[in-house]
Structures are given as C-alpha cells and as structure tokens.
Amino acid sequence: MTDSSLLNSELELQQQEELYQQLLLQTMGKLQTETQDSTVIRPQPGICVKTFCEPVKEKVFINICQSSSVPPPPELSREELVQLLQSEDPSSYRVPMSLGEPHTEVDNNSQGCTAYDVVINQEFFQKSQKDPLFQQFVILVSVEGLENKYSLKLNRDWKVLKNRKFLGSVSEQNIRTKSKPVIQELQPQENAASCPKRPEYSLFVEPPTGHPEYLIAEIKLPGVSSSRSLVLDVGEDRLVLMARPSLYHLDIFHPFFIDQESSVAQYNKSTQILTVTMPVVSSVS
C-alpha cells in the first residue's frame, strides 16, 4: 500500500479537489480557456518538416498544421511573392500563426527529438501545397516564428517528410479570437526573461520493491503560490506540467503505462511541491 503521508500532505481540501478536477478535465481534453478573448482549437495535420537546431545539430521537427479558426494572411499572388522575397524587407508580409510549446518525441530511429506545432489558416495552407514556392515560404515564416519566440537558430537545409504529416499527437492550442493589428502570433508575446524553466522533480514507485502499484512524481515549484496557476496533463506514459505565466514547463516520459482517470494531484503551499500519484497499469515494453 502507498504511504498515506505521500497521498495526503498539508494541502487544504478545497485546493486538492480543485486541482484534481483540473487534472481530469485536462486529461479528457475538456479544459476550457480562462479568457473570453481566446478559444481552444484542434488543428488538422499538414506537413512535417525535419531540420536541426544550430550549433549542436539537435534534430528538430516542425509540424505545420491547418485550421480555419486561424485568420488568413492578406491575398498574395505568385508574382507578388516573388517580389516580396526579392525585397529588402520580406518580413513586412505577416502570416497569422499559432506557435505551440516544444514537446519531446521519438523519431524513427528511436532517438529523442524536439517537435514544435505551427498552425496557419487552412485555406492558405492548401494554397501553399499547390505551389512549391509558396510551400517553401510557409516553412520559412514558420522557422522564423519559432526562432523569434524560442531564441532558436534553425538550419535552413530542411526536409519535408513524404510519408508523415505529423510527429507525435495532435494537441489542442489556445489562440486569441481578438488579435492586435499587424501581429504574427496568436499567443501573447513573451520576453526572453520570462521563458519557462524546467523544474526539479523526482519519480519513485510504491511499493519500492516488487510490482509497483503507484508511480509518484514530486515536482518542486518555488514561487508558485496557488494551484490555480498550474495546468497538468497526464498521458498514459507522459506527464506535462505548465505553471503560468511562463514560470515552469515540464514534459517527461516515464517507463510505465498508468491509469489516467484515477490519477490525482496535490499541491502543498508550504513546501511548494506538487505531488502527482498515478496508479500503474503495466510497464512500457
């Protein structure tokens, strides 16, 4: 049996129930946006682009997705695009897009890699697939958008994968429904100083010997005063945590398949530690 002290900390009952319900809602994909100026969308897969992050040559995949909820850019003919690319300031033409958070995936060689999801207007995406020049332009603005938001340097020698439209699983994204004039992203701009940090965490099983009944994650979150700022997503072999606004971001895989619906989370304000208790179904083969 699990030590009750691990499952019942000094957390107030009201906060425990609140975060537990939030966990279940997020797990079932029903977590709703908190502001009236934004909406949650589930984009459709489009193309998957492989490149590298310089100078360390880490493999990066860009999932360029499509959604009719993203507004289209201004009309642009092929001739206008050629002129734009030859001009001194091609960035003057803005393509509305939603840039998702990085997520860890596994490539065909069973190697870890990073993937980003970029969502553009569906009609504009379809147009880009009919003309190689437009497709390269869409990839270019996606690469530049990710570089600007996450302070990356991505290799321009990219490759469009032929037999894969998306790496990983399609996730919901939160986009603004009221956009500012001449804005490229549909998410609030973040300063470099507010980039989320990876928190310290530990994983252990209960009981410590024999077949594990529970996988327990303890995540240290100094500076987090309330569970209201936490968004937790528990997959069957993955745990994703965000502490808003842009304070912490954790995305890890673990070697167990767990019971998502029976998982519970508790945040202790005194120790500022989040404890996630996940019943183990089986080990990942």
Side-chain angles (χ1 to χ4, degrees):
M1 297 295 293
T2 304
D3 187 347
S4 60
S5 65
L6 296 173
L7 304 178
N8 299 286
S9 61
E10 302 171 5
L11 181 71
E12 299 172 1
L13 181 60
Q14 182 178 357
Q15 287 185 315
Q16 176 183 351
E17 178 64 21
E18 176 184 305
L19 188 56
Y20 175 50
Q21 293 299 325
Q22 188 181 42
L23 166 65
L24 294 182
L25 287 173
Q26 177 72 3
T27 302
M28 294 184 291
K30 297 180 181 179
L31 191 63
Q32 299 297 318
T33 177
E34 295 184 355
T35 67
Q36 296 180 350
D37 293 343
S38 62
T39 186
V40 175
I41 65 169
R42 180 174 290 276
Q44 297 298 315
I47 59 174
C48 184
V49 180
K50 175 184 174 182
T51 185
F52 295 91
C53 187
E54 301 288 1
V56 292
K57 295 294 183 181
E58 289 184 351
K59 199 177 298 183
V60 171
F61 291 87
I62 304 174
N63 298 315
I64 301 180
C65 309
Q66 51 186 318
S67 173
S68 57
S69 299
V70 177
E75 284 293 329
L76 184 69
S77 67
R78 196 178 198 282
E79 292 72 21
E80 290 172 332
L81 177 57
V82 172
Q83 294 177 2
L84 177 68
L85 295 174
Q86 294 174 346
S87 68
E88 295 181 356
D89 187 20
S91 62
S92 60
Y93 180 83
R94 300 288 184 173
V95 178
M97 60 178 59
S98 175
L99 304 175
E101 297 287 339
H103 49 97
T104 303
E105 302 294 344
V106 178
D107 64 13
N108 288 337
N109 297 322
S110 299
Q111 299 295 316
C113 59
T114 302
Y116 296 87
D117 302 341
V118 177
V119 188
I120 65 173
N121 175 263
Q122 187 171 37
E123 184 176 346
F124 186 68
F125 173 83
Q126 297 295 336
K127 178 180 179 179
S128 73
Q129 300 312 293
K130 299 175 182 178
D131 188 324
L133 182 62
F134 269 94
Q135 185 187 71
Q136 291 300 306
F137 176 66
V138 165
I139 297 173
L140 176 62
V141 295
S142 299
V143 166
E144 291 180 344
L146 292 173
E147 288 180 328
N148 292 334
K149 181 170 185 178
Y150 295 108
S151 300
L152 303 173
K153 184 178 180 182
L154 298 175
N155 191 299
R156 293 303 194 266
D157 187 18
W158 54 65
K159 177 183 178 181
V160 179
L161 303 186
K162 294 182 178 180
N163 300 318
R164 184 186 287 272
K165 295 183 177 181
F166 197 95
L167 182 65
S169 57
V170 179
S171 299
E172 293 178 340
Q173 287 203 28
N174 190 25
I175 67 169
R176 280 205 300 265
T177 53
K178 295 182 180 180
S179 60
K180 299 179 181 179
V182 194
I183 191 165
Q184 183 171 359
E185 298 179 11
L186 300 182
Q187 297 176 347
Q189 292 282 352
E190 298 177 357
N191 297 326
S194 64
C195 289
K197 301 177 181 178
R198 182 183 176 91
E200 295 183 22
Y201 70 94
S202 58
L203 295 174
F204 56 94
V205 296
E206 286 288 342
T209 59
H211 178 73
E213 296 182 12
Y214 296 93
L215 173 66
I216 300 174
E218 290 188 349
I219 308 169
K220 298 180 180 180
L221 300 170
V224 175
S225 59
S226 170
S227 62
R228 293 179 181 271
S229 64
L230 301 178
V231 177
L232 184 63
D233 187 358
V234 174
E236 62 179 7
D237 65 344
R238 183 180 184 182
L239 185 148
V240 180
L241 172 70
M242 291 186 63
R244 299 171 295 182
S246 301
L247 189 59
Y248 295 104
H249 178 253
L250 181 65
D251 187 347
I252 56 175
F253 288 87
H254 50 73
F256 298 99
F257 288 122
I258 57 94
D259 184 348
Q260 298 165 265
E261 294 187 359
S262 300
S263 298
V264 294
Q266 302 173 350
Y267 184 62
N268 188 323
K269 289 198 303 181
S270 300
T271 61
Q272 295 187 322
I273 293 177
L274 174 69
T275 301
V276 187
T277 304
M278 300 163 279
V280 173
V281 177
S282 64
S283 299
V284 177
S285 56

